């Protein structure tokens, strides 16, 4: 098994085909992952055509790997299939609510991570796109997702044509808490973030963005309060349209 300590996000891919046989085998194996109530509350839309990849690209800020990758996988939280099954079997589904979205989203992300691990073992490269939840309606319209189906993760997939350096990670003691959560002191923050902040690429990142600290790059430029609030509203509005929140409920 490939060592996860050397896992990399791959954004450049060779022309080598990713066969349906291999992809279907990996997706079948990934279905053995954990799932709430054994319901498998996810669906995967496989995009291979260049036309469809080009239609999806704007939803991911036109990142070049979306159109360059041989395959794009959109993993969706899906309570539509389970609800259809219930209705076809004389059962009354009650899954048009936020808890159901949360359960389905967790199922979908567990499936996504298991699939990533399996692709690592095969030597496939992939990149996880966090942009999926930023403009979900564009993805919904492009992929014709019905009510109670919500995109939560996107992977661009192919055989690697690059070997980028591994990105940094915080040490295990920074995120593991024994028995109860222990809040962080300023000294803890200094200890846990010092390595990240001193990396040459991160120091250059700060300088390039004309900031004093790396944290300011994230709060002031990359993930701002204004953007987070606007995108939160977009996400909630989309959850309403997809049937996971009541249209008249103003508590969200």
């Amino acid at each position: 098994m490939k060592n996860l300590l050397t896992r990399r996000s791959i954004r450049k891919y060779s022309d080598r085909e990713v066969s349906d046989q291999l992809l279907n085998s990996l997706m079948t194996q990934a279905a053995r992952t954990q799932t709430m109530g054994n319901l498998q509350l996810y669906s995967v839309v496989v995009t291979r055509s260049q036309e469809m990849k080009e239609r999806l690209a704007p939803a991911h800020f036109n990142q070049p790997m979306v159109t360059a990758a041989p395959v794009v996988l959109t993993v969706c939280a899906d309570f539509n299939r389970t609800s259809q099954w219930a209705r076809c079997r004389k059962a009354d589904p009650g899954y048009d609510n936020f808890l159901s979205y949360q359960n389905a989203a967790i199922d979908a992300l567990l499936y996504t991570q298991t699939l990533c691990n399996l692709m690592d073992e095969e030597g496939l490269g992939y990149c996880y796109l966090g942009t999926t939840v930023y403009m979900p309606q564009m993805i919904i319209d492009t992929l014709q997702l019905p009510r109670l189906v919500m995109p939560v993760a996107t992977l661009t997939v192919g055989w690697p044509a690059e070997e980028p350096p591994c990105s940094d990670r915080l040490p295990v003691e920074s995120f593991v808490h024994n028995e109860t959560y222990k809040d962080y002191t300023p000294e803890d923050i200094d200890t846990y973030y010092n390595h990240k902040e001193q990396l040459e690429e991160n120091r250059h990142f700060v300088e390039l963005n004309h900031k004093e600290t790396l944290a300011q790059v994230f709060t002031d430029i990359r993930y701002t309060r204004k953007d987070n609030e606007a995108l939160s509203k977009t996400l909630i509005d989309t959850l309403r349209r997809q049937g996971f929140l009541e249209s008249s409920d103003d508590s969200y």
Side-chain angles (χ1 to χ4, degrees), residues 88-192:
C88 288
R89 297 296 181 267
K90 302 179 181 179
D92 183 20
Y95 308 123
D96 53 348
N97 44 65
F98 184 70
L99 178 62
S100 297
Y101 166 71
Q102 182 79 348
N103 286 330
I106 291 169
D107 259 24
L109 291 173
L110 284 169
Y111 180 87
T112 301
Q113 183 57 64
T114 301
L115 182 59
C116 287
N117 291 344
L118 291 167
M119 290 193 296
D120 275 324
E121 291 183 12
E122 286 292 331
L124 280 167
Y126 59 86
C127 186
Y128 173 86
L129 304 185
T131 48
T132 306
V133 296
Y134 287 177
M135 290 187 281
Q137 192 61 51
M138 191 177 298
I139 299 173
I140 289 166
D141 293 342
T142 300
L143 301 181
Q144 300 179 25
L145 305 182
R147 178 181 166 87
L148 297 185
V149 180
M150 186 77 177
V152 295
T154 300
L155 300 172
T156 59
V157 181
W159 299 102
E162 63 172 347
E163 190 173 346
C166 293
S167 54
D168 64 275
R169 291 292 187 267
L170 294 173
V172 66
E173 58 269 23
S174 72
F175 55 82
V176 173
H177 302 257
N178 292 314
E179 308 301 343
T180 60
Y181 189 103
K182 179 179 177 292
D183 207 352
Y184 301 92
T185 66
E187 292 74 22
D188 291 332
I189 296 299
D190 288 343
T191 298
Y192 299 148

Side-chain angles (χ1 to χ4, degrees), residues 10-106:
I10 301 298
R11 295 173 173 84
K12 295 181 180 178
Y13 306 97
S14 75
D15 294 332
R16 181 181 170 190
E17 178 190 9
V18 179
S19 70
D20 285 333
Q21 181 180 6
L22 174 59
L23 188 58
N24 287 337
S25 173
L26 295 176
M27 291 194 294
T28 298
Q29 293 176 62
R32 299 305 307 170
T33 198
Q34 307 94 316
T35 171
M36 195 204 79
N38 200 28
L39 289 173
Q40 295 179 252
L41 303 171
Y42 49 80
S43 285
V44 184
V45 180
V46 180
T47 302
R48 288 184 178 273
S49 83
Q50 195 63 31
E51 177 190 354
M52 288 297 289
K53 285 185 282 188
E54 288 173 0
R55 289 177 60 189
L56 280 172
H60 298 290
F61 299 94
N62 290 308
Q63 296 178 85
M65 59 274 196
V66 177
T67 52
V71 183
V72 177
L73 303 178
T74 306
V75 186
C76 304
D78 185 349
F79 243 120
N80 173 60
R81 184 182 62 251
T82 302
S83 297
Q84 296 278 28
W85 171 59
R87 284 188 286 268
C88 288
R89 297 296 181 267
K90 302 179 181 179
D92 183 20
Y95 308 123
D96 53 348
N97 44 65
F98 184 70
L99 178 62
S100 297
Y101 166 71
Q102 182 79 348
N103 286 330
I106 291 169

Side-chain angles (χ1 to χ4, degrees), residues 134 211 215-232:
Y134 287 177
K211 292 296 177 180
Q216 289 174 349
V217 177
F218 284 85
T219 60
D220 299 353
I221 297 174
R222 295 199 70 187
Y223 305 109
T224 68
R225 178 185 296 276
K226 179 181 178 182
D227 288 346
N228 287 339
E229 290 176 350
L231 292 169
S232 293

